[in-house]
Amino acid sequence: MNSKILVATAIASAMLWSHTAQAKGKFRFGTDEQVRTLSERVIAGPNGGKFRIGHLVTVRHFGLPYSISSKGYVLTPVGDASKYIPLYEDNRLTRLQARGIVPKSLPAARLSSLDYLWGHALWVALAGLIGWIGFQVRRERRQASRPGSVTS
């Protein structure tokens, strides 16, 4: 009985454990890109466009996330974080900083420990499942080796 409750709790937790609103309660497959705004400072772009500095994060899923990576800095239009201009390609960041368009000192574009934990949740879940199975097998062997126990 306890093992069924444990498995049900583990599955429910895995399905609901997400800090991205669009992935809540769903198993996902494929690659997701997310731009995280790093600064509220607005940067003027060509043709009167307004941009903010962001950080591009890529998460790969196979039911649960199995890989997370930081691509680097991007410019994202104010009000639309689904679009971005990569600054990590072709030395764009260095050129824009040299022209004074982008500040020389930028907030750190790095992933937190929680990001890494969530970004590798599939491996954490598999390790937990293997550990739980090993514990169950060991418990059953102990019970079977006790004097007077009946095995089926």
Side-chain angles (χ1 to χ4, degrees), residues 1-142:
M1 180 69 173
N2 287 338
S3 62
K4 290 179 184 177
I5 293 172
L6 182 64
V7 170
T9 302
I11 290 171
S13 297
M15 289 178 67
L16 297 175
W17 183 34
S18 170
H19 62 278
T20 55
Q22 70 270 18
K24 263 204 176 74
K26 297 179 188 175
F27 280 112
R28 301 184 60 87
F29 296 90
T31 302
D32 288 335
E33 289 186 336
Q34 177 187 31
V35 176
R36 297 181 183 172
T37 303
L38 294 175
S39 172
E40 292 302 317
R41 178 180 174 189
V42 175
I43 297 169
N47 303 324
K50 295 180 180 180
F51 296 89
R52 288 200 168 97
I53 295 286
H55 172 226
L56 182 62
V57 176
T58 302
V59 182
R60 290 179 180 80
H61 301 265
F62 188 77
L64 291 171
Y66 66 88
S67 172
I68 187 167
S69 62
S70 167
K71 292 275 189 164
Y73 293 106
V74 295
L75 285 178
T76 182
V78 173
D80 188 2
S82 66
K83 298 177 183 173
Y84 62 88
I85 299 169
L87 297 179
Y88 51 86
E89 295 176 347
D90 302 325
N91 294 322
R92 284 185 186 161
L93 181 59
T94 307
R95 289 190 315 226
L96 292 174
Q97 285 175 326
R99 291 172 39 197
I101 297 171
V102 174
K104 292 208 185 264
S105 64
L106 295 172
R110 57 185 136 156
L111 300 170
S112 69
S113 298
L114 186 59
D115 288 327
Y116 281 110
L117 183 63
W118 170 246
H120 296 93
L122 178 65
W123 305 118
V124 173
L126 284 174
L129 180 63
I130 290 169
W132 178 75
I133 290 170
F135 175 78
Q136 293 297 321
V137 168
R138 186 173 178 182
R139 190 177 79 178
E140 287 176 15
R141 285 183 183 168
R142 270 196 215 145

Side-chain angles (χ1 to χ4, degrees), residues 140-141 143-146 148-152:
E140 287 176 15
R141 285 183 183 168
Q143 287 177 349
S145 67
R146 288 187 184 153
S149 64
V150 177
T151 58
S152 53

